[in-house]
Amino acid sequence: MASVVLAAGALTGCSGSTGGGGTSTTSPASTSTSTSSSSSSSSTSSSSSSSSSTSARPTSPGTGWTSGPTVVTRNLAVPPVPRVVRIRAAAHSSEGFDRIVFDIQGRLPGYEVRYVPVVVADGSGKRLAMPGRRYLQIVLRPAQGHDDQGEHAVSGRHDLDFPMLKGYVVAGDFEGVLTIALGLDDVVGYRVGELPGHIYIDVAA
């Protein structure tokens, strides 16, 4: 079962414009959290792979790891729309995971995290070239990666060379929906955590 993780002081070691941390299984009081796991839809391999890749490799450390979808719904009054102002990433090899952090201005948005077979650009539906071989998609709602003047704080493709996290692509930023896809080396367990001003995802490595 997926769980949202919260803890203080967990975002150390992530720097730069590409990165994210925490632990407890208590969701925020204002959050409605629903999760489900299905081998046919949530841990999906890419179109060129066999079905054997849909099972996550053993994951540790900690609890709250899943390879199924995670959904957190927040019904926020907008404007203002929560804005992702920076993305940071780091490898935590000694702890067994890679981490990506979304630094957020304003309230934390809701989100949906799941494996997808391909990544497409929001709006056009064009298939995007991705780093890695497996794709974990994060949809933040309501959220945006640009300011009111249209200046983007997060955009494009960013390649990384971590043990599991090979990069990410901002696949969409339109009408209060921000879509970011992680390129991974395999389908593995992940966990989602929150801190004030941050949402982070750890992927087992």
Side-chain angles (χ1 to χ4, degrees), residues 42-138:
S42 62
S43 297
T44 311
S45 64
S46 67
S47 58
S48 62
S49 310
S50 67
S51 60
S52 64
S53 64
T54 60
S55 59
R57 65 176 59 166
T59 61
S60 187
T63 59
W65 295 85
T66 184
S67 59
T70 298
V71 179
V72 171
T73 300
R74 290 192 171 100
N75 298 313
L76 304 181
V78 295
V81 177
R83 184 160 67 101
V84 176
V85 295
R86 185 168 62 163
I87 298 175
R88 298 176 286 133
H92 293 253
S93 299
S94 63
E95 299 171 87
F97 60 85
D98 296 336
R99 173 173 292 165
I100 189 163
V101 186
F102 308 117
D103 294 340
I104 298 169
Q105 184 179 84
R107 294 164 295 173
L108 294 185
Y111 47 85
E112 180 176 338
V113 184
R114 67 175 65 239
Y115 279 97
V116 296
V118 297
V119 178
V120 299
D122 289 353
S124 70
K126 179 182 177 182
R127 182 170 178 170
L128 297 176
M130 288 287 301
R133 302 185 302 123
R134 303 290 184 264
Y135 315 123
L136 187 64
Q137 182 169 277
I138 303 104

